[in-house]
Amino acid sequence: MAQNRKFQDFVETKYLADDAVTNAKTDGAADKYLEAVYDFAVDGGAVGAVPMKDTSGQPIQIPDKAIVISSHIEIEAAVTSSGSATVAFGLIGNSDAFKGATGKASLTLDAVFAGSNDLPLKMAAPTPVAVTIATAALTAGKIRLFIKYIEGN
């Protein structure tokens, strides 16, 4: 017991946030990552482009001059619709940059897709990430889009 008291304050967590490796703390050549979320419960399911948000609920953008090198799409909750809805994965202004319109029947629980349509892709300005719902409104679903990029010049 006496030995445990000696090391009691040896490891402290108060500095972890300062030491965490984040996108802002890496150099331009290092891979950087974004995680974008579409959640029917929060965003609704109306036909049209729906800007995606980060995990804290803030709108997410790919930075100016970033070169997107890969993306992956994970279906966290199955996408449903009373019609024949499709969902495309991309950007505002380039709705299928990552993956073209995909029918609801493919967007099942735990499905994973590689996004590759227009990749690699360089951003000309900070650009919002979006899903584009077409043909019919959605009635449920939660989707995560993981984006890997490097800083361009």
Side-chain angles (χ1 to χ4, degrees), residues 6-97:
K6 180 177 179 181
F7 294 107
Q8 180 174 338
D9 294 321
F10 188 70
V11 177
E12 296 184 36
T13 59
K14 65 183 178 183
Y15 300 110
L16 285 179
D18 292 336
D19 293 338
V21 177
T22 62
N23 283 344
K25 293 180 182 177
T26 59
D27 69 21
D31 292 345
K32 298 180 188 294
Y33 300 88
L34 295 173
E35 180 179 351
V37 179
Y38 161 79
D39 186 350
F40 172 82
V42 174
D43 302 311
V47 169
V50 180
M52 296 180 84
K53 298 176 178 70
D54 66 16
T55 55
S56 66
Q58 299 301 309
I60 194 162
Q61 293 187 350
I62 301 175
D64 183 28
K65 299 182 183 171
I67 301 170
V68 177
I69 52 180
S70 70
S71 67
H72 293 85
I73 301 151
E74 174 190 16
I75 308 305
E76 190 171 315
V79 170
T80 62
S81 171
S82 58
S84 56
T86 63
V87 180
F89 306 88
L91 308 166
I92 298 294
N94 185 355
S95 64
D96 64 352

